[in-house]
Amino acid sequence: MIEVLVLSALLLLQVQANTWPLAKLVYPSDGLLIEGAGRAVNITFDVSGDPFPEERKWYKDGEEITQFTNINIDESGGNLVSLRFNALAKMNEGVYYYIVRESKLTLEASKSEEVRLKVSFLDNFQSSATQQVSAQLGEYAVLRCNPPTHFGAYPKFSWKKEGVRILESDSIYVSEFGDLVIMQVAEEHYSSDYRCTISIDSLQEGQQEKEGPAVSLVVRGNAASYVAPYIALGPEDRAVDAQIKRTFRVECAVNGYPTLPSIRWYKNSVQITSSGPIYDIQQRNYLQITIPRSSGDVSATYRCEASDGTKQAMAQANIKIYTKPVIITSLPTAPVKKSSSSTLDLSCDATATPTPQFRWYRNAVQLQSDGLNTQVSGGNLTITNINSLHKGVYQCEAFNDIGSSVSTGMIRVQERLSFVIRPVDVDVYLGAAATFNCQGKGDPGPTSLRWEFNGGTPPDTHKYTNRLVNQATYKIPEVTSAEKNGRVSCIISSPDNLYPTDTAVATVTVREGPQVQASQKNITANEGDARDMTCIVENVISAVEWKWLHKDTLIIRDDNGRITIQENMLQVRSLTAADQGTYTCQAGENGITNSDTMFLMVRTSPQITMETEVRIGEGQDVRLTCSVTANPAPTITWIRDGQTLVNNAKYMIDKVSDHVSVLVVRNVRKHTDVGTYKCEASNPLRTRSAEVDLMVVAVCEVMDMPKDTSVEFLSSTSISCTVNACPSAVWTWRKDGEIITFDGSRYINRGSSIEIRQVVPSDGGTYSCTVNSDQGDGTPHSAVITVTVPTTIYKFPQSSVLFMNGDRIELECSARADNTLDQIMVQWFKNGNEINTGALITQKDETEKIFYATANLVIQSAIASDGGHYQCVASNSQGFVQRDTTLMLMTYPRAPGQPHSKWEGVGVAIMSWSEPSNPGNTPLTSYEIHIESKGNNIFRPFLKGLDPNFVSTTIYFLQENQQYNFKVIAVNAVGKGPASIASNVVRTEKTKLKQVNLVESFTLSSVSSDSIKVKWSMPEDRNTALSGYKIVYRNEDKQEQPKFKVIDEFTMLETTLDELDGGSLYSVQIESIDRNKDLAVSTVKTVLTQNQKPSPPAECIADREASSRIVVSWNQPENPHGKILHYTIYYRKRGAVDDPKTVVNVTDAQSTSMAVSLDDASIDYEVEITASNSAGEGEPFQCLSSGKTIQVAWYSMWWFYLIIALVAAIFLIIIAIIIITCYRTRADRGPKMQKIPPPAAKKDDFRGPNAQVYSPNTARSYNPPPAGNPMNTFSGGAMGSPDQNRFGGGTSDFRYGTQPRSPDYGYNPNKFNTFDSRNSYNDPPKPSYSGFDPPNYYDPPKPAYEPPKSAYEPQSPKSGYGGGYGGGYSAYDQGSNYDNTSRYDNNTFDSRYRGDNASRGYPTYDRNAGYGGGGGGNFKSSQL
């Protein structure tokens, strides 16, 4: 509890800027911001405080700004916070300020200085009519500007005469308000086109200047001979806003004739004699005044006097300068101490014109006189009876129409040190952890916090923190006896506080856990008896959990009641030897367990284990073993023929242990030693005996011969071939005379026997065993195995099959039989009547000699009448076998019993019901709870998916002061059954009693699309039983069962719930975890997670239903992140990525399938689907068709086969043409190239029939390179590349700009070489043709070379036979010589001998193109 000291508390007033939340104006620094409409501008504050203010709000004209139409808040600059206007508009004008608060939970806050925002704008001139002004020669004239509406910044004015800007002088100037003043009108002033121009620089480009209509000045008459001085435009009384206009004029336009009068200026009758920083008197017609920022003495009466030496004139005006308030007496900067019971006077004084007014604020809330303890009077604030509610940030604001100024201080009422959180006594068990929390407060607050244990320094094993801001923690990780009744002290201190220290103490009470003691440590009992074992426990305060162990193994009571456990007592009936041993009883309380042990000894009578028959070879020694279990240990005696045997030459008795005795008979003889030997064991409980017969047999004698056996198909069998005692025996097994290979899976060798598994007919035959030993080889012993294949139904349905209406049912029935018999028949019967099932599938296995037959019964779209008793019968001449099954229509469950509900009064209700009288013929899968809360008998789903194994549940998320009814619905595989009768009415009235450990206050906030944060306050009324919290939450949209998150530490007061659905409504309650099992659950709160787009729909399948329609089906998205609003199906032609998709909207969000009509049934389509919620459209899912991408059945179209036939025909024709062409070309091939005498030539003789004429739009000239630069060819059609031979294309072996590779090629670097390029890219023939000297302009030789008839065959499919006279790049470079006067227009070289595989070349624009050739030489367009 906060204590306010009435007599001795101190009131501190401090002004350190970093101790309270404060916003200091950065821009505009003077509190005035004028900017043009459409411009972007910022208002910026520097925010400070310790801690940094968490809550920050903007205000305009006293109202908080909540709508941000063209405004952004920028807090990215650290302490600098800006309000940014993106495009100023008139609506943005106003007074802005900023309020900062330390946090939402604290009072301390402050208001910033105000900023006046003015938006400049400029309208068009209103009138377009020409004005006319008439003036007498020598007199003055005033041309009125009549500027348009404007605001914000003061504009600039200028005038133009007939389009030429007028320069101001003593005789003509522009007044401050835009009028043009002409002091002495002359003839040259006559004009009909004067125009006023107004401009504002801060406006956007294109809007900064407006020009007015024309003004006409008419000059009248002649000038008078003398005009006495007069004031044409005198000063006027005015008030000047010093913030907006720092410089202004006092007008005094003086006229006279013929001499302009001189002017003198006076301020309050004192002449202004010279110009300076404030007054400028150099201008003739006005006094210019600049308002100083540090002085306010400009306000005065100003007078101007005009004189021409003979006469004078005078005019005056009162000028007032309006200034923003400046605080001259601010809040004190030094601490002021006051008694909390006295009166505090704060004063604040400021200067300004007009006189400022004052407002007072505490924590950014304006103070008013309340008639009690607060009195506001101008710049004075009086507060009486100071208490803690009066602390905070105080501000004095002086304001007038021009602006405001603020002074800020901090009032702190000193409080005594006390505890917000005190360490509380704990009652813990030995070995458990104990935690204490502590947090202090006061004013001044604690400066240190320390912990003590038992008045001294805490032990090293204790962990603690000394935090001052948040709570400090002291933890004993594992309580020992040393901490018993210990005292944990939290000590806070502050030297500046009136009470410098305070201490809070908590006590540790240690419980050492249950003290357990066995009632008896040693217990003895006889076998068959019953015994009780009991333990007692002390030092417990709550319920004890008991456990019993036998030999460290937990004992679980058995079903037949032999062992029973009743808390601290264990009872064992019908004791056996296995029950003997150490028993442990454990008692546990709140996780601490102690135990004690006892030993149970069970006395048992002798139980003898011994062979009944022993076979031995004559002359060997034999060992007869007698094992006895008994307690106490028995006495063992060997007896033969009534005589007790002792150790002698014939017998030796070996006592292996108290429970095992071995009789050794030496050198056994058939006639003297064969007989019966008895082992007798006795102890105090009983005497028992057992006998063994000793027989003498021949060595390795087969005692168990193999026997003929008949085995059924797929069963298992074994063959034995056992011998007498014969240690060296080795068995050899054969089948039909061949040694058997054992695989370990079907054929298994066990020595004296073999096992055959999964017998098939081929396993039948003669099996023999031969026993070999060191005595010699034995004789084979044989047996025959016959494999029978009975008529068997080996695949059949279950004895009962459940189905639903519309199901497809397939009942399988497969049988087999021996194929040596007649063929097997399989038939189906329903209720004794045969059913025709259609085709019977039969198969004969010749290897295994088996007949197989299958007949499956298929029922399409089953209905209720299809239910009944069905029989599958397999028969042949040997008889029949059958398998039965019953088809049953699945039925819905009946309604559960009427539920009973009980309101616990703590946020939850408990509800129970009884199971349905008939759950249907399938097991229940879940229960659903439906709820009605408005009394209208309309029930809605509330909880789904409840476990069917339980018939009660806890109902969370009920609102207080409501009444509820509930119904229960049972669900099985068929679906939901009918609802139960409504429950009793539950009224959720809040209990009038104060609930212990109840969380009464908590908040929810959405952190992201999949998480929310929960914060809560510690229960006000709590006890030591509080150990933690359980957060209960669920998705209301899904009506799912509640989920829980457990918080084990009761001092932890916040958590985050993760893995939630986006855009979903969640309900949350907080249940306190109470060791006393008392129930305390908070009220319900809801929160909406942030929106997130849904995941794609799942398992989208699109199957063609008809040639022009597909059916698209899908599952809902795995993560809908809220409510799905609709689905969208997209489809388009496969592979046509540039084509728009066709869109089909599925407005029913519950739908999971839709039929889509296709635009064209003959093409393939690709289909995808998306889901949309309130956050938008999610990612698409590519639909499949039966697991494959959708395919339209194009191969079934008739035109498909027609196209295939046409393509095949065209292909065959092309192959035939190629073969014929190659044959003819080979016939014309010659051994080498020859020079052909030239025929007479004409202009177009050298143009082949396949050449193209190229006429570019713009002629270019070509300039041959220097003679020393190697040239390639004259022609070549379009330029080629090394991997593609074109008509005359490609590059010939001699490349542009390279040296010849060999003189043998006949290359002349000073001439233009023209190689025949029909040989593709390989070396040209030797010798090759040499070129000729180039003329001044290009003139092809006449006659030209004609290539030989035989051409060179290409060496690869890409190679062409060549083009015109040569390939490669052209030789003539771009230049000035070959211009439009060139003689050759569109010349192309003859390409009649181009190869069949060559492709046509095309002309190009660049300088590397050939002059002509194969196809498309490109001489530029000119005239011949």
Side-chain angles (χ1 to χ4, degrees):
M1 179 178 178
I2 298 176
E3 293 187 40
V4 179
L5 299 182
V6 177
L7 297 176
S8 55
L10 294 181
L11 177 67
L12 301 180
L13 175 62
Q14 300 178 337
V15 292
Q16 293 90 339
N18 64 339
T19 58
W20 61 78
L22 188 66
K24 182 178 180 182
L25 182 61
V26 175
Y27 181 83
S29 58
D30 59 355
L32 176 66
L33 181 58
I34 302 176
E35 190 55 80
R39 299 275 189 177
V41 70
N42 292 353
I43 298 176
T44 303
F45 287 94
D46 184 359
V47 179
S48 61
D50 185 11
F52 190 78
E54 290 183 4
E55 188 179 66
R56 303 177 291 277
K57 296 181 179 180
W58 287 91
Y59 291 80
K60 176 192 174 188
D61 299 331
E63 298 290 336
E64 182 182 354
I65 301 175
T66 57
Q67 300 293 329
F68 297 90
T69 304
N70 64 338
I71 305 175
N72 297 109
I73 295 177
D74 183 6
E75 297 187 347
S76 61
N79 288 5
L80 296 180
V81 179
S82 297
L83 187 67
R84 178 172 180 80
F85 300 86
N86 300 317
L88 276 177
K90 181 64 177 172
M91 66 177 181
N92 297 129
E93 281 197 335
V95 177
Y96 291 82
Y97 58 88
Y98 197 46
I99 289 182
V100 292
R101 188 178 303 277
E102 188 174 291
S103 72
K104 293 182 179 180
L105 303 178
T106 60
L107 295 175
E108 294 183 2
S110 69
K111 173 181 176 291
S112 71
E113 185 177 339
E114 295 179 344
V115 175
R116 288 193 298 162
L117 174 61
K118 293 182 175 294
V119 181
S120 300
F121 65 91
L122 180 60
D123 288 344
N124 293 319
F125 281 81
Q126 297 296 319
S127 174
S128 60
T130 301
Q131 303 177 47
Q132 182 172 317
V133 177
S134 177
Q136 185 76 28
L137 281 172
E139 294 184 356
Y140 78 96
V142 177
L143 278 61
R144 298 295 182 184
C145 179
N146 295 322
T149 304
H150 57 277
F151 197 78
Y154 276 85
K156 297 178 181 179
F157 295 96
S158 63
W159 281 78
K160 295 179 182 178
K161 177 185 178 185
E162 297 172 0
V164 179
R165 194 174 298 277
I166 298 173
L167 299 178
E168 297 187 55
S169 65
D170 287 346
S171 61
I172 183 169
Y173 76 99
V174 180
S175 74
E176 187 174 9
F177 302 104
D179 298 335
L180 180 65
V181 181
I182 304 174
M183 298 309 302
Q184 290 184 335
V185 175
E187 289 288 347
E188 65 268 19
H189 294 139
Y190 174 83
S191 175
S192 62
D193 189 9
Y194 283 90
R195 294 182 185 271
C196 174
T197 301
I198 180 171
S199 63
I200 298 178
D201 293 338
S202 62
L203 294 176
Q204 290 182 312
E205 188 174 351
Q207 301 177 4
Q208 296 174 335
E209 185 176 277
K210 304 289 184 181
E211 189 174 89
V215 179
S216 175
L217 175 61
V218 178
V219 180
R220 297 181 285 102
N222 298 320
S225 59
Y226 173 76
V227 177
Y230 66 94
I231 297 174
L233 190 64
E236 297 178 356
D237 293 344
R238 62 185 293 195
V240 179
D241 187 337
Q243 267 204 306
I244 297 178
K245 193 171 182 65
R246 304 297 302 182
T247 300
F248 65 97
R249 298 178 185 178
V250 182
E251 304 279 355
C252 189
V254 179
N255 198 11
Y257 192 80
T259 302
L260 282 173
S262 61
I263 297 176
R264 290 192 297 273
W265 285 95
Y266 295 86
K267 174 189 175 186
N268 294 334
S269 301
V270 177
Q271 184 177 355
I272 301 173
T273 58
S274 62
S275 296
I278 299 177
Y279 301 105
D280 182 359
I281 61 175
Q282 294 182 7
Q283 303 298 327
R284 173 176 178 79
N285 298 301
Y286 54 83
L287 171 67
Q288 182 165 294
I289 301 175
T290 301
I291 303 171
R293 295 189 180 276
S294 59
S295 176
D297 63 351
V298 176
S299 296
T301 299
Y302 290 88
R303 186 176 78 248
C304 70
E305 294 182 356
S307 174
D308 63 358
T310 303
K311 295 184 177 182
Q312 64 180 16
M314 178 188 71
Q316 69 179 25
N318 293 319
I319 306 297
K320 290 185 178 180
I321 306 300
Y322 282 4
T323 59
K324 173 184 173 181
V326 176
I327 294 179
I328 57 176
T329 304
S330 61
L331 298 181
T333 58
V336 177
K337 299 182 179 179
K338 292 277 186 180
S339 169
S340 62
S341 62
S342 63
T343 300
L344 170 66
D345 291 319
L346 298 179
S347 62
C348 177
D349 195 9
T351 61
T353 304
T355 301
Q357 301 179 61
F358 295 90
R359 288 188 288 252
W360 285 89
Y361 297 88
R362 178 171 63 230
N363 297 324
V365 178
Q366 186 174 352
L367 296 175
Q368 306 285 350
S369 297
D370 58 9
L372 297 174
N373 60 354
T374 301
Q375 180 65 39
V376 178
S377 177
N380 297 311
L381 172 66
T382 301
I383 301 177
T384 59
N385 298 324
I386 296 294
N387 59 48
S388 61
L389 298 178
H390 295 135
K391 66 181 179 180
V393 179
Y394 281 73
Q395 292 178 290
C396 166
E397 181 182 39
F399 66 96
N400 60 13
D401 293 337
I402 308 303
S404 65
S405 295
V406 177
S407 177
T408 305
M410 181 75 176
I411 300 293
R412 294 171 57 188
V413 178
Q414 193 175 74
E415 299 174 5
R416 177 177 179 171
L417 289 179
S418 61
F419 291 93
V420 178
I421 299 176
R422 305 177 66 91
V424 296
D425 297 343
V426 296
D427 191 341
V428 296
Y429 287 93
L430 198 66
T435 302
F436 305 88
N437 298 305
C438 181
Q439 184 176 357
K441 68 175 182 177
D443 197 351
T447 58
S448 67
L449 183 149
R450 61 188 174 89
W451 294 91
E452 289 184 355
F453 186 74
N454 289 335
T457 303
D460 293 339
T461 56
H462 295 192
K463 309 298 181 184
Y464 51 90
T465 62
N466 297 326
R467 290 193 297 262
L468 291 173
V469 177
N470 297 318
Q471 64 183 15
T473 302
Y474 187 98
K475 186 171 184 178
I476 305 174
E478 188 173 339
V479 174
T480 64
S481 298
E483 279 86 24
K484 191 172 184 179
N485 299 323
R487 291 177 294 105
V488 176
S489 303
C490 175
I491 304 170
I492 55 176
S493 60
S494 175
D496 296 330
N497 199 289
L498 290 177
Y499 292 83
T501 62
D502 198 2
T503 303
V505 181
T507 303
V508 183
T509 300
V510 180
R511 296 189 178 276
E512 298 181 356
Q515 302 299 314
V516 183
Q517 183 177 1
S519 56
Q520 289 180 279
K521 299 297 289 183
N522 294 288
I523 303 173
T524 301
N526 294 334
E527 63 179 342
D529 292 348
R531 279 292 182 270
D532 295 341
M533 289 167 273
T534 306
C535 288
I536 58 175
V537 64
E538 297 177 347
N539 195 30
V540 294
I541 61 173
S542 60
V544 175
E545 182 180 357
W546 288 92
K547 291 182 180 179
W548 285 86
L549 295 88
H550 178 217
K551 299 178 182 178
D552 297 328
T553 300
L554 183 66
I555 299 174
I556 302 175
R557 70 184 74 204
D558 58 3
D559 294 334
N560 57 19
R562 196 180 76 87
I563 299 175
T564 58
I565 300 175
Q566 296 178 355
E567 298 290 341
N568 63 328
M569 185 181 74
L570 171 68
Q571 185 181 65
V572 184
R573 299 180 179 89
S574 302
L575 287 170
T576 66
D579 296 322
Q580 181 171 297
T582 301
Y583 286 80
T584 304
C585 58
Q586 289 183 351
E589 182 188 26
N590 291 323
I592 300 179
T593 300
N594 284 320
S595 62
D596 197 7
T597 61
M598 60 195 76
F599 187 83
L600 172 63
M601 185 179 73
V602 180
R603 299 196 303 172
T604 60
S605 60
Q607 300 293 330
I608 301 174
T609 302
M610 189 172 65
E611 293 180 296
T612 59
E613 183 180 87
V614 175
R615 296 170 182 266
I616 191 69
E618 190 171 14
Q620 297 180 346
D621 294 345
V622 66
R623 293 174 62 88
L624 305 177
T625 302
C626 180
S627 298
V628 183
T629 58
N631 187 18
T635 300
I636 302 174
T637 305
W638 286 95
I639 300 171
R640 183 186 180 204
D641 297 333
Q643 299 295 320
T644 300
L645 302 180
V646 297
N647 288 322
N648 55 32
K650 188 65 177 180
Y651 304 107
M652 181 185 73
I653 300 174
D654 182 6
K655 185 179 180 181
V656 177
S657 68
D658 288 344
H659 295 82
V660 178
S661 177
V662 177
L663 172 65
V664 180
V665 182
R666 300 184 179 96
N667 191 17
V668 175
R669 291 299 168 186
K670 185 174 183 180
H671 299 290
T672 59
D673 298 326
V674 170
T676 299
Y677 292 80
K678 181 167 68 174
C679 171
E680 186 177 85
S682 62
N683 70 359
L685 273 70
R686 193 170 180 180
T687 298
R688 281 196 173 93
S689 64
E691 296 178 343
V692 56
D693 291 330
L694 179 61
M695 293 184 292
V696 175
V697 296
V699 178
C700 287
E701 179 184 355
V702 176
M703 307 301 296
D704 186 8
M705 300 288 184
K707 299 177 179 61
D708 294 344
T709 306
S710 179
V711 184
E712 284 193 3
F713 177 60
L714 294 182
S715 62
S716 298
T717 186
S718 61
I719 306 172
S720 298
C721 190
T722 57
V723 299
N724 60 355
C726 186
S728 61
V730 176
W731 286 265
T732 301
W733 290 90
R734 289 177 172 83
K735 177 180 181 289
D736 297 331
E738 299 293 333
I739 295 178
I740 299 173
T741 300
F742 294 94
D743 56 14
S745 58
R746 277 208 333 116
Y747 280 80
I748 302 170
N749 187 353
R750 304 190 185 282
S752 63
S753 65
I754 63 172
E755 182 181 359
I756 308 172
R757 298 175 178 175
Q758 296 291 307
V759 173
V760 296
S762 58
D763 292 328
T766 301
Y767 290 78
S768 64
C769 72
T770 303
V771 181
N772 304 321
S773 69
D774 51 8
Q775 305 292 324
D777 295 338
T779 58
H781 300 274
S782 302
V784 175
I785 292 182
T786 302
V787 179
T788 62
V789 184
T791 303
T792 305
I793 297 175
Y794 64 93
K795 286 186 180 179
F796 48 88
Q798 297 176 352
S799 60
S800 62
V801 176
L802 300 176
F803 69 92
M804 296 178 63
N805 281 325
D807 281 358
R808 180 184 183 274
I809 304 172
E810 182 171 0
L811 303 178
E812 185 179 26
C813 185
S814 296
R816 60 173 172 252
D818 191 335
N819 72 356
T820 60
L821 306 174
D822 55 340
Q823 184 167 318
I824 190 171
M825 176 62 68
V826 179
Q827 297 169 289
W828 277 97
F829 294 85
K830 176 188 177 184
N831 298 330
N833 299 316
E834 184 179 357
I835 303 172
N836 182 11
T837 59
L840 179 70
I841 302 172
T842 60
Q843 179 182 0
K844 186 174 183 179
D845 187 336
E846 294 293 348
T847 302
E848 298 297 346
K849 300 178 181 180
I850 299 175
F851 257 129
Y852 291 96
T854 297
N856 293 344
L857 175 62
V858 177
I859 303 174
Q860 303 285 359
S861 300
I863 58 177
S865 60
D866 291 321
H869 184 70
Y870 289 78
Q871 294 172 306
C872 170
V873 179
S875 60
N876 58 13
S877 60
Q878 301 301 306
F880 70 92
V881 291
Q882 71 181 46
R883 290 288 184 175
D884 297 355
T885 187
T886 301
L887 287 187
M888 292 186 293
L889 178 68
M890 289 193 292
T891 58
Y892 293 95
R894 292 190 180 179
Q898 180 180 11
H900 176 74
S901 305
K902 180 183 178 183
W903 172 245
E904 293 295 322
V906 287
V908 295
I910 305 298
M911 190 172 79
S912 61
W913 61 92
S914 57
E915 295 178 346
S917 59
N918 184 352
N921 51 15
T922 60
L924 292 182
T925 57
S926 66
Y927 286 105
E928 287 187 8
I929 306 296
H930 288 222
I931 189 171
E932 183 268 327
S933 60
K934 297 182 179 180
N936 55 12
N937 203 32
I938 298 177
F939 286 79
R940 58 180 174 84
F942 184 71
L943 273 180
K944 295 182 179 180
L946 296 179
D947 191 331
N949 296 313
F950 298 93
V951 290
S952 65
T953 189
T954 301
I955 307 293
Y956 290 90
F957 312 120
L958 300 180
Q959 300 292 338
E960 290 184 347
N961 300 320
Q962 296 279 343
Q963 70 175 28
Y964 292 97
N965 280 342
F966 302 96
K967 290 184 178 181
V968 184
I969 295 175
V971 183
N972 64 9
V974 182
K976 300 178 184 178
S980 68
I981 300 173
S983 70
N984 55 299
V985 175
V986 173
R987 290 180 174 82
T988 57
E989 299 175 355
K990 187 173 182 180
T991 178
K992 296 180 181 179
L993 299 177
K994 187 71 172 180
Q995 185 68 34
V996 178
N997 294 333
L998 178 66
V999 174
E1000 299 187 39
S1001 174
F1002 70 99
T1003 60
L1004 307 175
S1005 59
S1006 178
V1007 178
S1008 65
S1009 62
D1010 62 353
S1011 62
I1012 59 177
K1013 177 166 283 188
V1014 186
K1015 290 185 177 181
W1016 61 93
S1017 300
M1018 190 175 293
E1020 293 183 3
D1021 190 1
R1022 63 181 184 273
N1023 57 24
T1024 57
L1026 178 63
S1027 62
Y1029 309 94
K1030 180 165 66 176
I1031 314 301
V1032 189
Y1033 61 99
R1034 79 160 185 164
N1035 186 334
E1036 290 292 343
D1037 297 332
K1038 292 184 176 180
Q1039 300 159 5
E1040 63 183 7
Q1041 295 187 60
K1043 298 180 180 179
F1044 306 94
K1045 183 172 183 180
V1046 176
I1047 309 299
D1048 292 327
E1049 181 60 57
F1050 78 93
T1051 59
M1052 183 175 177
L1053 301 177
E1054 68 175 63
T1055 188
T1056 300
L1057 305 178
D1058 298 314
E1059 298 181 3
L1060 308 182
D1061 297 319
S1064 298
L1065 183 67
Y1066 278 84
S1067 294
V1068 180
Q1069 284 183 285
I1070 302 179
E1071 179 179 340
S1072 300
I1073 300 176
D1074 190 319
R1075 282 192 288 264
N1076 295 335
K1077 309 300 182 183
D1078 292 332
L1079 193 60
V1081 185
S1082 72
T1083 57
V1084 184
K1085 289 191 177 183
T1086 58
V1087 64
L1088 189 66
T1089 54
Q1090 296 178 15
N1091 278 346
Q1092 182 178 351
K1093 295 179 180 179
S1095 61
E1099 303 296 332
C1100 177
I1101 303 295
D1103 282 326
R1104 183 172 289 274
E1105 186 180 60
S1107 60
S1108 61
R1109 187 170 66 175
I1110 56 175
V1111 175
V1112 183
S1113 59
W1114 62 92
N1115 292 334
Q1116 291 187 348
E1118 182 178 353
N1119 294 310
H1121 299 303
K1123 184 178 181 181
I1124 297 298
L1125 301 179
H1126 62 85
Y1127 295 95
T1128 306
I1129 298 172
Y1130 299 90
Y1131 69 91
R1132 67 180 172 194
K1133 181 180 178 180
R1134 182 172 308 286
V1137 294
D1138 296 329
D1139 290 355
K1141 297 178 181 178
T1142 302
V1143 180
V1144 179
N1145 287 316
V1146 184
T1147 56
D1148 183 2
Q1150 303 302 317
S1151 296
T1152 55
S1153 66
M1154 187 173 189
V1156 178
S1157 297
L1158 302 176
D1159 300 330
D1160 188 343
S1162 62
I1163 60 176
D1164 295 352
Y1165 284 90
E1166 53 190 14
V1167 182
E1168 59 189 22
I1169 185 171
T1170 63
S1172 299
N1173 60 13
S1174 58
E1177 185 176 16
E1179 293 296 320
F1181 185 89
Q1182 182 76 32
C1183 298
L1184 301 178
S1185 175
S1186 301
K1188 300 180 180 178
T1189 305
I1190 298 169
Q1191 298 278 336
V1192 178
W1194 48 264
Y1195 50 81
S1196 63
M1197 305 297 180
W1198 63 268
W1199 46 262
F1200 169 76
Y1201 297 100
L1202 178 59
I1203 293 174
I1204 293 295
L1206 291 175
V1207 171
I1210 293 170
F1211 179 79
L1212 292 175
I1213 292 171
I1214 292 173
I1215 294 298
I1217 292 172
I1218 292 173
I1219 293 172
I1220 295 171
T1221 302
C1222 290
Y1223 178 80
R1224 290 178 177 177
T1225 303
R1226 284 179 175 273
D1228 294 334
R1229 185 171 61 187
K1232 62 180 180 179
M1233 298 176 67
Q1234 298 178 358
K1235 190 170 183 179
I1236 306 300
K1242 296 181 181 180
K1243 170 185 175 183
D1244 290 331
D1245 280 351
F1246 299 101
R1247 187 176 118 207
N1250 291 326
Q1252 293 182 345
V1253 176
Y1254 178 67
S1255 178
N1257 294 329
T1258 304
R1260 294 190 181 181
S1261 58
Y1262 290 81
N1263 184 25
N1269 189 13
M1271 296 298 168
N1272 279 354
T1273 62
F1274 287 133
S1275 60
M1279 175 172 65
S1281 61
D1283 63 341
Q1284 296 175 334
N1285 284 344
R1286 302 299 185 193
F1287 255 18
T1291 53
S1292 60
D1293 259 63
F1294 282 8
R1295 303 299 175 94
Y1296 177 76
T1298 60
Q1299 295 299 323
R1301 289 165 50 182
S1302 170
D1304 295 337
Y1305 285 87
Y1307 177 80
N1308 185 345
N1310 296 321
K1311 295 185 178 183
F1312 298 110
N1313 296 278
T1314 55
F1315 291 97
D1316 191 321
S1317 64
R1318 290 173 297 170
N1319 62 330
S1320 75
Y1321 290 109
N1322 293 325
D1323 291 342
K1326 302 177 182 180
S1328 59
Y1329 295 107
S1330 177
F1332 50 87
D1333 294 328
N1336 291 331
Y1337 57 86
Y1338 178 66
D1339 187 1
K1342 299 180 181 181
Y1345 295 108
E1346 182 176 358
K1349 299 296 183 182
S1350 59
Y1352 289 91
E1353 183 135 15
Q1355 296 186 9
S1356 69
K1358 284 186 177 180
S1359 302
Y1361 282 106
Y1365 279 88
Y1369 299 114
S1370 64
Y1372 278 82
D1373 201 349
Q1374 188 172 349
S1376 60
N1377 287 349
Y1378 293 86
D1379 53 20
N1380 288 347
T1381 60
S1382 300
R1383 295 184 55 194
Y1384 288 93
D1385 181 15
N1386 303 330
N1387 286 277
T1388 57
F1389 278 50
D1390 196 335
S1391 63
R1392 287 174 294 175
Y1393 294 100
R1394 69 179 178 85
D1396 292 319
N1397 290 330
S1399 60
R1400 175 178 297 176
Y1402 291 94
T1404 61
Y1405 280 99
D1406 61 51
R1407 63 187 178 86
N1408 291 325
Y1411 284 122
N1418 59 344
F1419 262 42
K1420 302 302 178 179
S1421 177
S1422 62
Q1423 295 184 358
L1424 186 61

